[in-house]
Amino acid sequence: MDDLDRNIIGLLGADARMSVATLARRLKVARSTIQARLERLETTGIIAGYTLKLGEGARQGRLRASVLLTIEPRGQAGILQRLKAIAEVERVFTTSGRFDLLLQITCPNTQVLDQVLDQIGTITGVKSSESLIHLSTRIDRAV
């Protein structure tokens, strides 16, 4: 990836609906250059798809939390299988350091969050957990 690729990704990250013509105009290159770059970025898997990004208005009424898990060695496969069955678990990341897994959870209220946390705590192989409730988003540069 070069600077042009990064600039294309940056503009599309802010507005995935931006047209090829607008991208070309903003980056001061030919439309055919942008089209070729997009095709290459898609083919190589750098761009996996185009989507929308929900704003705070869509997040109202939803409680978001991060859950840090410490798990038994060699227990990850079984734990991941159980976590996949919990609809409120949106993402699971492996981590380095004190914790083994980082979960992103979204629930409609604290009662459901409490039930989900209890359910996660009963999974065989989960040694401990720590939960962090998200209050507000101050910076969001996610692409």
Side-chain angles (χ1 to χ4, degrees):
M1 277 197 355
D2 62 13
D3 286 341
L4 180 57
D5 292 337
R6 283 188 278 281
N7 289 334
I8 291 169
I9 290 169
L11 288 172
L12 289 174
D15 180 4
R17 294 176 10 152
M18 190 174 294
S19 70
V20 172
T22 302
L23 285 168
R25 193 168 40 256
R26 290 210 181 150
L27 297 172
K28 297 180 173 57
V29 296
R31 284 185 76 232
S32 58
T33 300
I34 296 294
Q35 191 63 50
R37 293 294 183 110
L38 286 172
E39 288 174 14
R40 184 176 50 78
L41 291 168
E42 291 167 359
T43 302
T44 58
I46 293 172
I47 294 178
Y50 301 85
T51 187
L52 64 90
K53 183 175 173 182
L54 296 176
E56 284 299 317
R59 293 182 186 142
Q60 289 177 356
R62 296 186 335 162
L63 183 64
R64 294 170 292 148
S66 294
V67 179
L68 300 159
L69 295 183
T70 303
I71 63 174
E72 296 286 342
R74 296 180 295 281
Q76 188 176 72
I79 292 167
L80 289 174
Q81 201 60 30
R82 295 276 310 273
L83 291 172
K84 284 180 187 178
I86 302 172
E88 291 81 5
V89 176
E90 293 184 331
R91 290 187 177 96
V92 178
F93 303 95
T94 56
T95 64
S96 62
R98 243 177 34 164
F99 298 98
D100 302 302
L101 298 176
L102 167 66
L103 286 56
Q104 287 185 348
I105 296 176
T106 301
C107 299
N109 55 51
T110 56
Q111 181 181 4
V112 173
L113 176 61
D114 193 38
Q115 291 169 355
V116 169
L117 293 175
D118 286 346
Q119 189 176 1
I120 291 169
T122 64
I123 296 173
T124 303
V126 172
K127 291 171 41 175
S128 67
S129 67
E130 185 174 325
S131 305
L132 306 162
I133 295 176
H134 301 196
L135 299 176
S136 64
T137 303
R138 302 297 178 151
I139 298 172
D140 185 356
R141 293 189 185 124
V143 177

